[in-house]
Each structure stands twice: as structure tokens, then as C-alpha cells.
Amino acid sequence: MRKNQPIGVFDSGFGGFSVYNHLRQLMPNENFIYIADSSWCPYGERSYEEVRSRAVRITEYLIQRNAKIIVVACNTATAAAIELLRRKFPKMTFVGMEPAIKPAAKLTNTNVVGVLATQNTFNGQLYKETKKKYAGHIRVVVQIGFGLVELVENNQTRSPEAIRLLEKYIQPMREAGADYLVLGCTHYPFLLHSIKIVAPQLNVIDPALPVAKRVLSLLSQKDLLNDGLMDYTAFYTTGALGKLNDFARAFVTGNYITDALQL
Ligand code: DGL
């Protein structure tokens, strides 16, 4: 491995940019390849088999493009596929999304926390184990975020529909006494502004920064941090290029190129 090989990042769509923005800030010299699998988005309601086969296909592409590490910037793909990816590509290092129940369970004063995630994330072993391990002593109010990923993909994060759905999903958590909300899907941090309108007092936990720090620490341990300047950052979408451009313009920091990709 060479230090200037890129960091590969993928998600069902644009949600993983919430992780990418932290990665970029922490590692300004790194080259990146980001894949938004927007043609297959949302992953949250697809079968695990479908999500796994997309994750394998995208990983093969990122390996072909010389990725030195792969960030599965998607809770759903992590839940469905990360074990398979680690088995199938044993030489590659994968970093996935952790459901951030642990910090919420530690910080809550009311002993009630809310978790917003996709159906497939809640169904996964990882969520169940994390909940059992860290949140046995508290009440966890779960909610599937139906429709939220689509709003983010279409750059409607501040729309009346976003407010309506968030009110519907967050209200029962507040009624139950939740003081923390865990964002269990990488798309949801882009809704933070609307979440704050709906529930200004609720503390929100987004695991994106800790995940980005983990990538930094792994690369540093392996002595693989780029010591030259950044050469390129490329964002690809399997969906409509115009949507990627609109999203990146609105939400993504730094320089990059974009293109459409058939995978
Ligand atoms: N960004 C996703 C996640 O973290 C994917 C959501 C979806 O495609 O349904 O779970």
C-alpha cells in the first residue's frame, strides 16, 4: 500500500457525506473516492441479500481503484454486509457505522433515549447486541425514519414535509421523556436544522465524527496517512449526476470532481 492511495467511502446515497465532511476536515491531505449508490437508494427497505450484493459490487470497484481503506458510511449497509465484506476481502480494512446507543445511554439524565434509523438497521445483529450491551438499564424508544432518506436525497431537508415527518417521529420520544436522540442513519444529520425546530431541547448524537476519528487512527497506526498534498477527490453516483451536484454544492466542503458511474 502507498500512502497516497485514496480512502474509499460509500453509502446508499448522499448520507455518507455527513461522515465524509468530518473525514475531510480531519485529513485534508487525503485523496477520496465516494460512491453514492443512489439508483439503489434507499437500502433501508431492501432485502439484506440486495444490500450485500451492492456492498460487494461497490467494494470490488473501490479495490480496483486502489482504496487503502473503505468506510461503509451507511448504518444499513454496515448492519447487512460488514461481516461479509470482512470475510470476502480479508486484506482490506473496513470501518462501519456504530449505532451510538452507548454514549446516549451514558449521558441520559431521564434514562430514556430515542433512536431513529432504518428498518434494516434495527433488524441487524449489531443494533441488537449494542442495545443489549449498553442500554439494558434504560428505555429505548425506536422509530423507523420512513421517508426521511428520500427527503435528504432530494435536497428537501428544510421542507414542510421534513418538519411534519420529524414531528411525527420525535413526538412519542419526547412524550416518553427522552432527552437524547441517536441518529442511526447517516442521512439524518442533514436534517439537524429541522430536528432542532421540532425539538430544540433534545440532545442529538451523531456518530459521524467518532467514526472519522477511527479512520484517522487506523491509518496512522498503519503508517498510511498521506504525507503529500491532496491530488483528487472524486464523488460518483449510480443515479442522476444533477442531484449529486446539487447536493454536494449545498452540503459538502472542499474541492472535488463528480461523475456518474454504472455499477
Ligand atoms: N445512509 C443510510 C444509513 O445510514 C442508508 C439509508 C437508506 O438507504 O435507507 O442507514
Side-chain angles (χ1 to χ4, degrees):
M1 290 260 184
R2 278 169 291 108
K3 296 180 179 187
N4 65 353
Q5 287 176 225
I7 296 175
V9 183
F10 78 89
D11 177 44
S12 64
F14 306 144
F17 282 122
S18 61
V19 183
Y20 168 80
N21 280 339
H22 288 293
L23 291 165
R24 167 52 74 217
Q25 247 188 340
L26 290 178
M27 292 172 274
N29 295 338
E30 295 299 325
N31 299 313
F32 282 92
I33 296 183
Y34 181 107
I35 314 279
D37 198 15
S38 294
S39 269
W40 294 76
C41 187
Y43 280 177
E45 289 140 54
R46 289 188 179 276
S47 71
Y48 268 26
E49 283 62 41
E50 274 179 302
V51 177
R52 284 181 183 138
S53 95
R54 293 310 295 161
V56 166
R57 182 73 201 90
I58 293 167
T59 298
E60 283 166 349
Y61 176 78
L62 288 170
I63 289 175
Q64 188 192 317
R65 295 286 306 262
N66 273 329
K68 60 182 173 184
I69 191 167
I70 293 179
V71 184
V72 184
C74 174
N75 295 71
T76 308
T78 302
I82 200 147
E83 280 178 22
L84 169 71
L85 294 177
R86 286 184 174 134
R87 269 202 315 275
K88 214 173 155 65
F89 306 97
K91 286 194 203 133
M92 177 54 66
T93 304
F94 293 93
V95 177
M97 299 306 298
E98 290 274 334
I101 297 185
K102 185 181 169 185
K106 227 168 147 182
L107 292 165
T108 177
N109 289 314
T110 59
N111 284 337
V112 186
V113 306
V115 183
L116 200 53
T118 69
Q119 175 121 48
N120 273 338
T121 295
F122 285 128
N123 288 343
Q125 208 47 35
L126 189 62
Y127 174 77
K128 288 185 187 137
E129 277 164 18
T130 313
K131 187 179 165 218
K132 201 163 138 200
K133 199 157 157 200
Y134 300 110
H137 60 294
I138 61 161
R139 179 164 171 214
V140 181
V141 183
V142 300
Q143 174 65 54
I144 297 168
F146 293 112
L148 296 178
V149 165
E150 290 85 340
L151 289 173
V152 174
E153 288 290 303
N154 292 305
N155 204 346
Q156 287 170 16
T157 56
R158 295 177 183 224
S159 62
E161 180 63 359
I163 301 282
R164 191 186 69 79
L165 288 179
L166 287 167
E167 243 157 25
K168 185 167 140 199
Y169 298 156
I170 292 174
Q171 188 56 25
M173 297 176 183
R174 287 159 79 205
E175 277 166 15
D179 57 349
Y180 278 84
L181 169 64
V182 175
L183 301 183
C185 168
T186 54
H187 279 74
Y188 301 163
F190 294 109
L191 292 159
L192 196 58
H193 174 86
S194 296
I195 293 172
K196 285 290 164 195
I197 291 175
V198 167
Q201 318 293 358
L202 202 58
N203 301 291
V204 177
I205 299 194
D206 168 12
L209 178 59
V211 168
K213 284 183 176 164
R214 171 104 185 108
V215 176
L216 171 64
S217 119
L218 282 170
L219 287 175
S220 146
Q221 272 169 37
K222 293 173 190 287
D223 195 24
L224 277 177
L225 284 168
N226 193 14
D227 43 19
L229 290 178
M230 190 263 271
D231 281 330
Y232 63 92
T233 289
F235 301 155
Y236 297 102
T237 177
T238 60
L241 184 57
K243 278 196 184 182
L244 170 62
N245 288 336
D246 287 349
F247 189 89
R249 218 174 288 125
F251 292 109
V252 181
T253 51
N255 297 324
Y256 52 81
I257 58 152
T258 62
D259 208 348
L261 183 70
Q262 280 200 337
L263 272 182

